[in-house]
Amino acid sequence: LLRPALKGSDTASVLDLSLHAKEILSSMPSNLKQSSPALFTTFWSLTLNDISVPVETYENHERRLKKALADLEETDRLDPKAKDKDIKKWKENITLDLDKLEKERKKQVDNNKKVMTRITEDKDALVEKDKSYKAIPCFFLQTCVFPRCVQSPEDAVFCARFIHLLHKIKTPNLSTILIYNMIITTFGPMVFSRTEQEAKHFGKFLSETLQMLNRWASTEEVFKKECENFPGFTNVSQKPTKPEKIAFSSFQQCLRNWHKQLSKAFTTCLESSEGTEVHNALTILSELVGSTFPVYDTFHAEVKQRVQKLIGEEQQFGQSIVVMARSVNARLQACESKMLKLPSKGKRKEAPEKDKDAEKKPKVDKGGAAPPAKDVKQEPVRRVEKQEEDKKDVKRDSEQDNRKRNRAEDEGAKVHAGKEEDPRAVRAKKEVGHSSKKEG
């Protein structure tokens, strides 16, 4: 409903089209009716070609056509038997394709400029100022991103690049880093509730998103250029009225936490007894492994261990899941050497010399008098006294053990004496004892 209205008039603005969005949003739940209709309108009225021009694709195709034209001219020169009519006709067709390609490229560039100009001019009206900093990201993901990113590969790429576009034009009152955080934290339910094709498209969307985040965290220069002074990368959770800028080191730590959450989510899904959940997790992994996830050795080892375990569970899940697990495992082994080492937690820093000196100084109580200082000379004497006390304790314990042992022997002797022995046996024992003494 919205796409023809936006493309029909070059002078149409987002504010004019938001009237159509209000009619659509009126049929939605009450918690979504109060959200920004302009953002909803802009998202659903655009396509991938409106916000992104595939310049590299056009250049590659143009390069192939020019190479084919050069090969035809070389054939005409080296092979005199070739028919002139056929070569001439082929040249004309390639030339026409080049002209069409150039016109299409120019049309795409002009359309992209118009759309970008319109969005940039109306960016202040996309998000209402009075809304909560969590309300708009939640509304945007529920009604826009998640329903569309699973429809097709083009829509998956569009959703990832549209979020980047909102960040790039510095949309006010919108936290893009909070949007990325919600995408990662809701990964588990998205895996379980999708079909195979939807899981594949969602993997494409997640790959595009992580590729952008990994690039921002690669170098501080890129982060300062594309993120540091942008309103979407501010911490508004602590002080909504005075948001704080997110530093490069903080963003790197945040990205590592996101990768950790993804690793746990994939491990949980792959350990599930539901074949659909395991199949969808492997489908999404096949879109990520080798390019965007995993990138740290610890998380790579966790995911690889669980994938290898699936290879031997053919009786439980079937041949299809085992084949997918082998394919993902091969990709994990191929990219193992490229993994980054996860930085270890830094050791606790020692107190500076001033603090150590301050600790040595006697503290003053409320009354103003200092507590009595410790006598350093008496410490060796106390240590020796303590060692002597320990020796006495050991000696006392050994004496108690000896008394118990002697008491037990006396009781055994009394019991043995109570029994009457044969006089002949007693006489034999005495004779044996005398003989042993003589031998000795």
Side-chain angles (χ1 to χ4, degrees):
L1 294 175
L2 297 174
R3 289 176 185 173
L6 184 64
K7 294 183 179 181
S9 175
D10 294 339
T11 60
S13 65
V14 176
L15 292 175
D16 297 334
L17 294 175
S18 63
L19 299 175
H20 301 280
K22 289 181 179 179
E23 298 178 0
I24 298 175
L25 290 173
S26 62
S27 60
M28 290 187 173
S30 58
N31 61 333
L32 300 179
K33 290 180 183 179
Q34 305 299 327
S35 300
S36 176
L39 182 62
F40 180 87
T41 305
T42 307
F43 179 84
W44 287 104
S45 60
L46 299 175
T47 61
L48 180 60
N49 293 331
D50 295 327
I51 64 173
S52 177
V53 179
V55 178
E56 186 177 355
T57 304
Y58 278 113
E59 291 178 352
N60 292 336
H61 195 52
E62 183 179 1
R63 194 180 300 110
R64 286 196 297 268
L65 290 175
K66 288 182 178 180
K67 185 177 182 303
L69 187 61
D71 293 341
L72 284 176
E73 293 178 354
E74 189 71 14
T75 301
D76 189 14
R77 185 176 63 84
L78 297 178
D79 190 4
K81 295 182 180 180
K83 296 181 179 180
D84 296 338
K85 293 182 179 180
D86 295 340
I87 294 177
K88 186 177 180 180
K89 185 177 180 179
W90 291 340
K91 288 182 179 180
E92 291 177 356
N93 292 336
I94 293 175
T95 304
L96 289 174
D97 291 340
L98 283 171
D99 293 339
K100 290 180 181 179
L101 187 66
E102 186 62 29
K103 290 179 181 179
E104 182 181 343
R105 178 181 178 178
K106 185 178 179 181
K107 185 178 179 181
Q108 288 276 3
V109 172
D110 294 340
N111 177 65
N112 177 258
K113 288 181 179 179
K114 291 180 181 179
V115 172
M116 293 299 298
T117 302
R118 189 184 311 131
I119 294 176
T120 305
E121 291 176 353
D122 297 333
K123 66 179 181 179
D124 295 336
L126 289 176
V127 180
E128 297 181 8
K129 187 176 181 180
D130 298 334
K131 299 299 179 182
S132 172
Y133 74 97
K134 285 186 178 181
I136 296 301
C138 185
F139 158 79
F140 178 60
L141 291 176
Q142 288 182 4
T143 62
C144 299
V145 176
F146 288 157
R148 186 171 179 178
C149 70
V150 296
Q151 293 183 6
S152 66
E154 291 78 12
D155 287 319
V157 176
F158 168 81
C159 291
R161 294 186 180 179
F162 186 82
I163 298 174
H164 180 225
L165 174 62
L166 295 176
H167 169 79
K168 186 178 179 180
I169 64 176
K170 297 183 178 181
T171 306
N173 308 319
L174 182 65
S175 177
T176 50
I177 194 169
L178 186 58
I179 293 176
Y180 289 128
N181 183 66
M182 290 183 176
I183 292 172
I184 301 300
T185 54
T186 56
F187 172 77
M190 289 291 293
V191 175
F192 185 75
S193 60
R194 300 298 167 184
T195 63
E196 181 179 359
Q197 287 298 321
E198 289 176 345
K200 186 175 182 179
H201 300 154
F202 183 73
K204 183 68 175 177
F205 162 73
L206 193 61
S207 177
E208 287 284 331
T209 302
L210 289 176
Q211 182 179 3
M212 198 178 309
L213 295 175
N214 293 339
R215 184 172 62 85
W216 285 341
S218 60
T219 59
E220 189 172 2
E221 183 180 358
V222 175
F223 180 82
K224 287 183 178 181
K225 182 180 179 181
E226 302 184 12
C227 302
E228 189 175 32
N229 295 322
F230 286 70
F233 265 58
T234 53
N235 188 7
V236 296
S237 59
Q238 301 295 335
K239 297 179 180 180
T241 56
K242 296 181 179 180
E244 299 177 356
K245 294 182 180 180
I246 297 177
F248 177 64
S249 58
S250 301
F251 177 69
Q252 285 185 320
Q253 180 62 34
C254 183
L255 182 63
R256 288 193 289 268
N257 292 336
W258 287 341
H259 278 264
K260 183 178 180 180
Q261 291 180 10
L262 283 176
S263 178
K264 289 183 178 179
F266 274 116
T267 305
T268 303
C269 293
L270 295 175
E271 290 176 351
S272 174
S273 58
E274 294 290 337
T276 303
E277 188 173 4
V278 176
H279 191 278
N280 288 347
L282 290 173
T283 302
I284 297 174
L285 267 178
S286 62
E287 296 288 336
L288 303 179
V289 173
S291 58
T292 56
F293 178 85
V295 295
Y296 295 104
D297 53 354
T298 303
F299 308 139
H300 178 275
E302 292 176 358
V303 175
K304 182 181 177 182
Q305 182 180 3
R306 184 53 201 164
V307 170
Q308 289 178 345
K309 190 176 179 181
L310 281 175
I311 298 176
E313 298 180 356
E314 183 176 354
Q315 296 180 354
Q316 182 178 359
F317 296 110
Q319 184 67 22
S320 61
I321 289 182
V322 173
V323 172
M324 292 184 65
R326 288 175 179 171
S327 175
V328 174
N329 183 47
R331 295 185 181 184
L332 287 170
Q333 291 179 349
C335 66
E336 187 172 1
S337 60
K338 301 178 182 179
M339 293 296 105
L340 303 175
K341 290 186 178 181
L342 193 66
S344 58
K345 295 182 179 180
K347 296 182 180 180
R348 189 175 180 180
K349 295 182 179 180
E350 296 182 357
E353 294 297 331
K354 294 182 179 180
D355 297 341
K356 291 182 179 180
D357 296 339
E359 292 178 358
K360 294 180 180 179
K361 294 180 180 179
K363 296 182 180 179
V364 181
D365 57 3
K366 295 182 179 179
K374 296 181 180 179
D375 192 356
V376 181
K377 295 181 179 180
Q378 293 183 358
E379 289 184 359
V381 178
R382 292 175 182 174
R383 194 179 301 112
V384 173
E385 292 177 354
K386 189 177 180 181
Q387 292 177 358
E388 291 178 356
E389 291 178 359
D390 294 340
K391 291 180 180 179
K392 291 180 180 180
D393 293 338
V394 173
K395 186 177 181 181
R396 192 183 303 111
D397 294 338
S398 62
E399 290 177 355
Q400 290 178 358
D401 294 339
N402 292 333
R403 291 195 199 99
K404 291 180 181 179
R405 195 180 302 107
N406 295 332
R407 193 180 300 112
E409 291 177 356
D410 294 341
E411 291 177 357
K414 290 179 181 179
V415 174
H416 185 69
K419 296 181 182 180
E420 294 183 359
E421 295 184 357
D422 188 1
R424 290 176 293 180
V426 175
R427 194 181 302 111
K429 287 182 179 179
K430 291 181 179 180
E431 292 176 357
V432 172
H434 288 303
S435 62
S436 61
K437 287 181 180 179
K438 292 179 180 179
E439 292 176 357

